Amino acid sequence: MIRRRSSPLVVAAASLALFQLPAAQAASPTLDKIKEIGKITFGYREASIPFAYLGSDQKPTGLSLDLCSAVADKIKTALRRPELGIEYVPVNASNRIPLLQNGTIDVECGSTTNTAERQRQVSFSIATYVASPRWLVSAASGVTEPKGLDGQTVVITQGSLNFAVAKKIVDDQKLNVMIVQAKDHAESLLMLGTGRATAWFEDDILIAGLVANASDPSTFRMLAATYAPSYYGLMTRREDPEFKALVDAAIKEKMVSGAFDKLYAKWFEAPIPPKGQNLQLPMSEAMKARVASPSDALTP
């Protein structure tokens, strides 16, 4: 048998290739776990329309699931394992963080708000949605901007964090406004629809969902002004920054290519399953800013 000695050039190239393997593949505990068990596990919400919910076929669907699909492709490429399986585990507001921390799920694909308090327990991807409280008014009211609420009655849902925001807006703009409170979001919309209030102040996505399911959505109009944004993201384990970087990269690629804009239009500006409702919620300027400059920052 004749053994041929590798040339110095070949040895050098092979050594360089080792150093060029994805850093996350060598350092990420999450990727090591996925590689060992041969599957990726995503946590999803069952009724968080349009981010993550069960479709008419009882399978998880939504914007966050589409983004997690891109993450799965990224993981398969990083591990050079195209055959990796994907498991979906339902989670809720109470167990989503514990299930992520104990390794039951690898990514939470839902609608969780990134906060400083939660960052002490988990990590968040770059923002996948920017929620902002907005004024919803009766289309017949003629109100087109917040100043038009002067002398009117507005409703805020009891217990909503947006009560303080609305009060500050009213005080800062010196509006003569009577603020009343409803027991829940459904009653807030009812008060607006029956003329007992001229406007309702709440997060845009919550408003859009209720209006889309109203008997006549055209009787309501959302004002353009937005306030105090909060940022949603996919959750990953806090002690695995390499894996978070991989998740971020998958989302950034969608944003840079323009694919994210198409996904947004699919879920927020077109009929969605299972009822075919259209949220009619165009991308806000704050969301456009995050698509242009992806970030996980808590401030604009």
Side-chain angles (χ1 to χ4, degrees), residues 223-243:
L223 300 188
T226 59
Y227 310 89
S230 57
Y231 303 91
Y232 295 178
L234 306 184
M235 281 198 300
T236 60
R237 279 183 278 282
R238 186 173 184 272
E239 66 276 9
D240 199 341
E242 291 82 10
F243 187 69

Side-chain angles (χ1 to χ4, degrees), residues 41-48 52-54 60 64-65 68 87-112 235:
T41 307
F42 291 135
Y44 70 94
R45 300 295 294 273
E46 294 182 291
S48 187
Y53 63 100
L54 292 174
S64 295
L65 272 301
C68 277
E87 180 180 3
Y88 296 95
V89 175
V91 300
N92 56 44
S94 299
N95 66 18
R96 56 189 171 182
I97 289 179
L99 291 180
L100 184 65
Q101 291 175 319
N102 68 20
T104 300
I105 62 174
D106 301 313
V107 185
E108 193 255 354
C109 314
S111 56
T112 304
M235 281 198 300

Side-chain angles (χ1 to χ4, degrees), residues 259-271:
F260 184 90
D261 289 0
K262 294 178 181 178
L263 286 177
Y264 186 97
K266 168 186 172 183
W267 292 107
F268 292 89
E269 300 180 87

Side-chain angles (χ1 to χ4, degrees), residues 24-296:
Q25 182 176 339
S28 166
T30 303
L31 283 185
D32 287 344
K33 166 185 172 285
I34 291 171
K35 185 176 183 179
E36 180 179 354
I37 67 176
K39 69 177 180 181
I40 308 159
T41 307
F42 291 135
Y44 70 94
R45 300 295 294 273
E46 294 182 291
S48 187
I49 299 172
F51 302 98
Y53 63 100
L54 292 174
S56 55
D57 58 359
Q58 293 302 297
K59 293 181 179 179
T61 189
L63 172 66
S64 295
L65 272 301
D66 282 351
L67 294 177
C68 277
S69 178
V71 170
D73 290 341
K74 199 77 172 174
I75 292 171
K76 291 176 181 179
T77 298
L79 295 180
R80 301 185 178 92
R81 294 280 298 277
E83 78 286 357
L84 284 173
I86 299 177
E87 180 180 3
Y88 296 95
V89 175
V91 300
N92 56 44
S94 299
N95 66 18
R96 56 189 171 182
I97 289 179
L99 291 180
L100 184 65
Q101 291 175 319
N102 68 20
T104 300
I105 62 174
D106 301 313
V107 185
E108 193 255 354
C109 314
S111 56
T112 304
T113 302
N114 185 356
T115 68
E117 181 180 357
R118 285 173 175 159
Q119 284 183 4
R120 290 192 283 270
Q121 304 177 74
V122 296
S123 288
F124 284 85
S125 70
I126 57 176
T128 56
Y129 183 76
V130 182
S132 297
R134 293 170 67 176
W135 294 104
L136 183 74
V137 300
S138 166
S141 69
V143 175
T144 58
E145 58 181 352
K147 288 183 179 180
L149 297 174
D150 191 51
Q152 305 294 323
T153 297
V154 302
V155 61
I156 310 292
T157 303
Q158 188 174 9
S160 173
L161 295 176
N162 287 314
F163 182 90
V165 180
K167 185 67 167 59
K168 186 176 187 305
I169 294 169
V170 168
D171 292 344
D172 288 349
Q173 297 193 17
K174 296 180 172 58
L175 300 176
N176 177 26
V177 167
M178 177 182 288
I179 299 178
V180 297
Q181 292 187 278
K183 65 180 180 181
D184 55 31
H185 292 328
E187 186 178 39
S188 291
L189 188 67
L190 178 63
M191 290 183 68
L192 187 60
T194 55
R196 287 178 286 166
T198 301
W200 171 34
F201 192 70
E202 189 48 73
D203 282 354
D204 54 4
I205 184 58
L206 296 177
I207 288 175
L210 282 169
V211 169
N213 286 295
S215 57
D216 186 2
S218 66
T219 60
F220 304 101
R221 183 176 66 251
M222 204 180 301
L223 300 188
T226 59
Y227 310 89
S230 57
Y231 303 91
Y232 295 178
L234 306 184
M235 281 198 300
T236 60
R237 279 183 278 282
R238 186 173 184 272
E239 66 276 9
D240 199 341
E242 291 82 10
F243 187 69
K244 167 184 156 49
L246 181 150
V247 172
D248 284 346
I251 301 171
K252 285 179 182 177
E253 286 178 6
K254 292 290 184 184
M255 291 180 171
V256 171
S257 69
F260 184 90
D261 289 0
K262 294 178 181 178
L263 286 177
Y264 186 97
K266 168 186 172 183
W267 292 107
F268 292 89
E269 300 180 87
I272 59 175
K275 297 180 180 179
Q277 71 267 44
N278 187 336
L279 298 181
Q280 299 184 50
L281 190 61
M283 191 179 292
S284 66
E285 292 304 315
M287 185 70 237
K288 290 178 183 178
R290 283 302 170 99
V291 173
S293 299
S295 169
D296 60 6

